[in-house]
Amino acid sequence: MKNCEYQQIDPRALSVSPLSAQNPAEKKVQRPRRKWEAFPGKNRFFCDGRLILARQNGVLPLTLGLIVVTSGLFFAFDCPFLVEHLTVCIPVIGGVLFLFVVASLLRTSFTDPGILPRATADEAADIERQIDTSGSSTYRPPPRTKEILINQQVVKLKYCFTCKMFRPPRTSHCSLCDNCVERFDHHCPWVGNCVGKRNYRYFYSFIISLSFLTSFIFACVITHITLRSQAKKGIVQAVQSSLCTVVELVICFFSIWSILGLSGFHTYLVASNLTTNEDIKGSWSGKRGAEESGNPYTYSNIITNCCATLCGPMPPSLIDRRGFLPPDEAIPAAAASEMELPPFTPKSDANMV
């Protein structure tokens, strides 16, 4: 037998990835992942994270379709008759209202409503240390609320076990989107998104402009049918000659009341500096059986409340959707398993002869 020499292998040399032993031309450069790709909430992102939408957004196409179809029928079948018999300003006014409604709807739907990022592991551990009650021998659960003072009034902050943080004032966790939303108003399925601090002004402009558009089309449709009935000397003949106008009349009749009621309700909320969530829960009234207390966020002036809600500066988005994940978080679990070393198989003595 020939003399064989054994040399000890440095274990650190084996920690090199098998990909490094391949030809450099065959190496696959891993694409850096953006944070929206690993976002924990129940949202959908478009245009590389620039647009955000709730995962349950099936009603949004219905909303957009009703607006487009009703307005399209109006421009196609009513405007030519009304321009000929009344004025050319009718399609101009209708076109401006239509564009404003669609723009407000899309802005509401694709804007971050004010989602708060979830606490990191270090931040969650720090909060747990703050609320820890480990001084006693028996276990006591940590308190779920803490109290702060706003305008000489006590406000309770609730702890969110999903986001691992105390929710700021007026913040609530949306169960459909699975996010804490700042100044949470409500989750609106018609726009396919939550309505909160960053998109409430667009939502309010949407329902107000939609009220004007629906009322305008409704009035024009009635005028159209009235003029046709006078020309044809009968309402039946006028309806038979303009069936599409009747479709518009039915859609507007059944939708205008809810739209006007919703607009009036949110006008009241804006003037009072309230949210839908606070009004339904009765946070600042006696609905809960507690002692009646005033709204600590109101400025006691309708104009000031409206300006603070609708005309203030747009707060920046707190979720860095287009930021890049750290390299250690961006590596998938499959890639990590590929870096494991194969089991060591000793050489056979026959190879050493």
Side-chain angles (χ1 to χ4, degrees), residues 146-219:
K146 67 178 181 179
E147 297 179 346
I148 62 174
L149 201 64
I150 297 179
N151 292 331
Q152 306 301 320
Q153 187 168 330
V154 176
V155 177
K156 290 184 178 181
L157 305 183
K158 293 183 179 181
Y159 181 79
C160 180
F161 287 97
T162 302
C163 300
K164 305 295 182 184
M165 65 177 181
F166 282 102
R167 301 170 191 162
R170 314 189 87 174
T171 300
S172 184
H173 191 91
C174 177
S175 59
L176 296 177
C177 295
D178 199 23
N179 296 311
C180 276
V181 179
E182 198 172 7
R183 201 185 184 278
F184 178 78
D185 191 86
H186 69 289
H187 182 93
C188 183
W190 294 99
V191 302
N193 200 356
C194 285
V195 178
K197 184 176 182 178
R198 298 192 71 251
N199 65 346
Y200 183 80
R201 64 188 67 188
Y202 304 125
F203 173 78
Y204 183 75
S205 63
F206 164 65
I207 58 176
I208 292 297
S209 58
L210 184 61
S211 299
F212 280 106
L213 178 63
T214 308
S215 302
F216 180 76
I217 294 178
F218 189 61

Side-chain angles (χ1 to χ4, degrees), residues 314-337:
M314 171 63 72
S317 178
L318 299 180
I319 52 173
D320 187 15
R321 294 168 286 176
R322 291 179 45 77
F324 291 100
L325 288 171
D328 53 344
E329 298 182 15
I331 297 178
S337 62

Side-chain angles (χ1 to χ4, degrees), residues 30-47:
Q30 185 182 2
R31 180 182 65 86
R33 299 179 65 203
R34 295 188 182 272
K35 293 182 179 180
W36 66 266
E37 299 180 70
F39 188 73
K42 297 177 182 178
N43 297 90
R44 291 181 179 177
F45 295 88
F46 305 93
C47 299

Side-chain angles (χ1 to χ4, degrees), residues 56-132:
Q56 299 179 357
N57 52 18
V59 188
L60 175 60
L62 175 62
T63 306
L64 192 60
L66 284 174
I67 296 173
V68 172
V69 169
T70 306
S71 301
L73 293 176
F74 170 71
F75 290 123
F77 296 97
D78 294 314
C79 285
F81 181 86
L82 295 175
V83 167
E84 181 180 355
H85 292 79
L86 295 179
T87 175
V88 74
C89 296
I90 291 179
V92 175
I93 297 174
V96 172
L97 288 174
F98 171 75
L99 293 177
F100 194 83
V101 167
V102 174
S104 300
L105 172 62
L106 297 180
R107 194 68 187 269
T108 305
S109 302
F110 294 110
T111 300
D112 169 25
I115 298 174
L116 295 178
R118 302 188 181 187
T120 62
D122 295 337
E123 293 172 345
D126 182 65
I127 294 177
E128 289 179 1
R129 282 193 296 266
Q130 294 179 13
I131 63 178
D132 187 20

Side-chain angles (χ1 to χ4, degrees), residues 227-276:
L227 293 177
R228 277 191 179 275
S229 63
Q230 292 176 354
K232 295 182 179 294
K233 302 198 188 312
I235 188 70
V236 178
Q237 291 80 2
V239 169
Q240 291 177 348
S241 61
S242 55
L243 294 178
C244 293
T245 302
V246 177
V247 174
E248 302 170 47
L249 182 66
V250 172
I251 295 176
C252 293
F253 178 79
F254 284 102
S255 60
I256 190 172
W257 313 112
S258 59
I259 295 173
L260 290 176
L262 187 64
S263 301
F265 173 68
H266 278 276
T267 301
Y268 155 73
L269 294 179
V270 170
S272 306
N273 202 347
L274 285 170
T275 65
T276 303

